[in-house]
């Protein structure tokens, strides 16, 4: 229905612009014909080519990235032959696309899975735009995006939601249905956008195929996730900032080391990692600097929104040292305290400190993957720590806490995914001294769908971590953050609790409520409201 509406709307629009567009296309074809004989200007598709929707991301004050991927047969490699296909795009200041401010043609090429990343510039800061793609006679859904306010510009309010961990096989993306209806400036995704596990016929919905290894297999897995209409709706409604965690590649991978080094060689893993990185870039609205180079992909970066908030987006997988103590949730061995152990690598750590020192933003966000706060999982005398998280990299975490304590950047806020449960914690200058100063706040968001089964254990051990002010492992959802000059508010938007066995979100239309809200005043400490 929706697609037909857009087609009708746009067929008129594009007809009126035929002359302009064809003039533009002729130029492109003339250039293209000099370097490629494989351009198909009149492609015929077996099915609708915009099956994966549209997306935008990386908002700067004057530019934003627009994304789509041509995939008439999304679960089987995309379904486009090895041709370069011209894709037209336009961006307008109104939702009917009558006031077009920029337009152009870009090639969807087989080397990038016929994905398209358009960096549109020359835009106005802090305003909404609508955009659309056209290929042959087919038009995409219309997406909406928003530029960032100018750096330093005084802004009164900023609203974003953050999410993570959306295992397809665990349940439906009901949370995204609600997120699409929020009033937001931005969505931040903190990783586990896909899961790499094989299809399991006992689950509420199934992955396509075995665990991906090749580029085509990772493309097919990303495509499966992107076919979800609720996920597509959130991408079409807001610009996103994304970072990955482990499952985009392999469970608990660390730099060049897979989860199971005894079952795959280093070279096999690096080939898998390169394929996973490539497919990730192809499916995310990232800037061209994130295009993979060999086995590397530049993902850590900084985005600033006026004078109010700055996001330091971390990559805690690509440069980390291997998990200490053989990974897992266990008592910490000496290795967990090794000063050389790192989640970020030295370069990223320096970049982060330098950025915090320079920042003029009131709220300084560390958008990252794994739980930052110290937390003992075992009640009583014995202790157990998740050594895949910052609890396994104690010296590296202490360097950050020391920095926050000594340099006092304005309002450090850590936002976190990975752990499939909701947490609010004070960051203490020294977690071994509960009376040490509070130097920041961590908000951990629960999963969109991914399962969590350790609530009882964590609840029993909570009194031993008095800096934890909220924990909820029983509900799925996301966190909505509303920021003003005076205060930061986080609403935990959660779906109803599901039965302990079976799907986490069995109802694709499950309602959502604000289960709890926490606020902290400027330069203050977080409290439940
Ligand atoms: Fe996860």
């Amino acid at each position: 229905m929706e697609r037909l509406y857009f087609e009708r709307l746009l067929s008129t629009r594009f007809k009126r612009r035929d002359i302009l567009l064809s003039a533009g296309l002729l130029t492109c074809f003339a250039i293209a014909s000099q370097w490629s004989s494989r351009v198909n200007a009149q492609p015929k598709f077996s099915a609708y080519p915009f099956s994966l929707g549209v997306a935008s991301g990386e908002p700067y004050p004057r530019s934003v990235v627009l994304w789509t991927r041509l995939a008439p047969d999304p679960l089987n490699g995309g379904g486009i032959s090895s041709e370069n296909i011209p894709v037209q795009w336009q961006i307008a200041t109104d939702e009917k696309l009558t006031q077009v401010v920029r337009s152009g043609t870009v090639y969807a090429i087989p080397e990038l899975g016929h994905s398209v990343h358009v960096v549109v510039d020359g835009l106005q800061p802090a305003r909404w735009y609508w955009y659309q793609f056209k290929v042959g006679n087919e038009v995409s859904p219309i997406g909406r995006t928003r530029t960032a306010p100018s750096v330093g510009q005084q802004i009164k309010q900023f609203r974003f939601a953050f999410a993570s961990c959306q295992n397809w096989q665990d349940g439906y993306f009901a949370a995204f249905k609600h997120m699409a209806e929020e009033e937001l400036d931005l969505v931040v995704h903190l990783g586990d956008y896909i899961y790499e596990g094989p299809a399991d016929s006992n689950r509420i919905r199934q992955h396509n195929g075995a665990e991906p290894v090749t580029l085509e297999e990772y493309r097919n897995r990303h495509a499966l996730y992107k076919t979800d209409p609720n996920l597509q709706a959130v991408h079409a409604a807001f610009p996103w900032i994304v970072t990955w965690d482990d499952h985009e590649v392999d469970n608990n991978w660390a730099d060049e080391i897979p989860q199971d080094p005894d079952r795959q060689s280093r070279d096999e893993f690096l080939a898998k990692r390169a394929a996973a990185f490539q497919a990730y870039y192809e499916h995310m609205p990232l800037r061209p600097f994130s295009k993979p180079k060999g086995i590397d992909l530049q993902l850590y970066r900084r985005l600033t929104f006026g004078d109010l908030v700055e996001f330091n987006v971390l990559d805690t997988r690509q440069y980390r040292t291997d998990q200490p103590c053989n990974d897992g949730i266990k008592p910490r061995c000496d290795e967990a305290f090794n000063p050389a152990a790192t989640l970020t690598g030295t370069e990223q750590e320096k970049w982060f400190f330098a950025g915090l020192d320079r920042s003029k933003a009131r709220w300084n966000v560390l958008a990252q993957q794994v739980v930052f706060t110290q937390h003992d999982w075992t009640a009583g005398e014995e202790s157990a720590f998740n050594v895949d998280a910052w609890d396994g990299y104690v010296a590296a975490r202490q360097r950050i806490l020391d920095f926050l304590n000594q340099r006092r950047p304005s309002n450090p806020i850590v936002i976190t995914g990975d752990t499939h449960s909701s947490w609010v914690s004070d960051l203490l200058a020294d977690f071994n001294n509960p009376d040490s100063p509070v130097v920041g706040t961590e908000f951990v968001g629960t999963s969109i769908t991914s399962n969590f089964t350790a609530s009882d254990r964590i609840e029993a051990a909570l009194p031993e971590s008095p800096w934890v002010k909220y924990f909820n492992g029983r509900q799925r959802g996301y966190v909505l953050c509303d920021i003003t000059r005076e205060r930061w508010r986080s609403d935990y938007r959660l779906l109803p609790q599901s039965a302990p066995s079976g799907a986490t979100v069995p109802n694709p239309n499950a309602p959502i409520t604000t289960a709890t809200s926490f606020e902290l005043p400027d330069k203050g400490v977080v409290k439940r409201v």
Side-chain angles (χ1 to χ4, degrees), residues 164-167 191-192 195 245-247 417-420 447 450:
S164 61
C165 298
Q166 48 201 48
N167 194 330
D192 289 356
Y195 278 70
D245 193 20
D246 53 337
H247 290 287
D418 181 54
T419 192
H420 309 175
S447 55
S450 303

Side-chain angles (χ1 to χ4, degrees), residues 374-393:
Q374 175 169 297
H375 171 248
D376 176 0
W377 284 57
T378 300
E381 292 276 289
E382 284 171 18
S383 67
F385 294 91
N386 178 5
V387 298
D388 177 61
W390 289 91
D391 266 340
Y393 300 78

